[in-house]
Amino acid sequence: MIQIKTPQEIELMRASGLVTAGALAAVRAAIRPGVTTGELDAVAEDHIRSKGAVPNFLGYHGFTGTICASINDEIVHGIPNPDRRLAEGDNISIDCGAILDGWHSDSAITVTVGEPTAEDAALLEVTERSMWAGLAKAVAGGRLTDISHAVEQVITAEAHPYGIVDHYGGHGIGTEMHQDPHVLNYGRPGRGPKLVPGLVLAIEPMVTVGDPATVELDDGWTVVTKDGSRAAHFEHTVAVTPEGPWVLTAEDGGVAGLAPFDVTPRT
């Protein structure tokens, strides 16, 4: 079932989204060489609980963290560890979400510890830009795969042959973290469910420098690139509204990120 939200319910999801945005901002500020992923997890949990919300990852199918902390060749679902320290030059993807008044939000960023190499900077830039291209297509009257196609176009237009991770992708979100529909990061436009006001989606491209084939580690969670190449992951939760996309997990509602695509979000 695809859950369509009322305007009042989307307002509640916006409040949840701002909690998640604040948690990610706090984690970003804490990233430095020597910090452990367990310490970053505590930063996120403290922020979420301080706002009267609860982490939606913690305990989800047995997951033990508030955040997913995925480093370098780890794509998604890395488990925070009090003994794992970040080093200069690492790329770390932080995926985080909150539940406030029964409504979920979900967002992710990838950050380089210290100064990125040119290769890492380019990987992060194209991944984030592809996410915004997808968010810009979250408009009433379109189709779900318009989003998928927009993400894919940005990535495949690059001279470097970046990989788009298969199977893993975005999803509906609302009173549960993962709802229908599944949102792939590639595909032909004009297909799938209609985008209607009240639909809320998490859009999350995962991009690799090398081959996008994946392996799940023995911990049952962490997904890595099979060839050991680095990966990046960005995500925002967006509502389809009559006034345009409303990026619920962006503090400005998506104004800055959508501007290059000539899309004015609801704010």
Side-chain angles (χ1 to χ4, degrees):
M1 289 288 292
I2 295 176
Q3 185 183 65
I4 302 301
K5 288 77 173 174
T6 67
Q8 294 76 20
E9 289 169 340
I10 290 176
E11 293 282 355
L12 293 173
M13 292 194 71
R14 170 60 166 166
S16 176
L18 289 173
V19 173
T20 293
L24 282 175
V27 171
R28 183 193 287 273
I31 290 173
R32 64 184 186 281
V35 72
T36 69
T37 56
E39 289 170 331
L40 297 179
D41 190 71
V43 168
E45 182 174 4
D46 288 349
H47 179 88
I48 289 168
R49 294 193 187 279
S50 76
K51 302 300 182 182
V54 295
N56 55 8
F57 290 9
L58 186 60
Y60 185 73
H61 296 297
F63 192 74
T64 56
T66 289
I67 62 172
C68 296
S70 308
I71 301 173
N72 296 335
D73 65 331
E74 298 170 355
I75 304 167
V76 284
H77 305 159
I79 303 171
N81 186 327
D83 298 320
R84 190 172 191 192
R85 297 186 182 277
L86 296 183
E88 187 86 17
D90 281 340
N91 288 336
I92 179 167
S93 297
I94 303 291
D95 196 352
C96 184
I99 312 168
L100 183 65
D101 296 325
W103 293 95
H104 289 252
S105 54
D106 192 3
S107 186
I109 56 174
T110 302
V111 179
T112 302
V113 183
E115 287 299 313
T117 64
E119 181 180 79
D120 284 340
L123 170 65
L124 270 60
E125 190 278 333
V126 72
T127 307
E128 185 172 17
R129 180 159 45 88
S130 73
M131 174 193 66
W132 284 108
L135 293 166
K137 292 294 184 180
V139 294
R143 293 277 184 176
L144 185 70
T145 61
D146 296 347
I147 295 171
S148 306
H149 184 68
V151 172
E152 180 184 22
Q153 275 191 310
V154 167
I155 298 162
T156 58
E158 294 294 307
H160 182 88
Y162 291 106
I164 302 173
V165 176
D166 199 3
H167 305 304
Y168 299 94
H171 49 90
I173 184 169
T175 51
E176 299 86 28
M177 180 161 56
H178 293 110
Q179 298 181 330
D180 289 334
H182 185 55
V183 189
L184 290 171
N185 292 308
Y186 57 88
R188 294 175 59 184
R191 298 184 171 195
K194 271 192 174 181
L195 303 178
V196 298
L199 178 63
V200 183
L201 302 168
I203 308 303
E204 51 177 322
M206 287 154 261
V207 179
T208 63
V209 170
D211 192 300
T214 64
V215 176
E216 185 178 274
L217 299 186
D218 291 342
D219 62 21
W221 285 101
T222 310
V223 178
V224 304
T225 58
K226 191 172 183 180
D227 66 1
S229 63
R230 289 193 170 199
H233 175 208
F234 284 86
E235 177 183 17
H236 268 310
T237 298
V238 62
V240 179
T241 80
E243 298 80 26
W246 191 11
V247 185
L248 304 179
T249 46
E251 291 185 358
D252 67 354
V255 172
L258 293 173
F261 301 95
D262 295 322
V263 173
T264 302
R266 172 185 163 175
T267 57

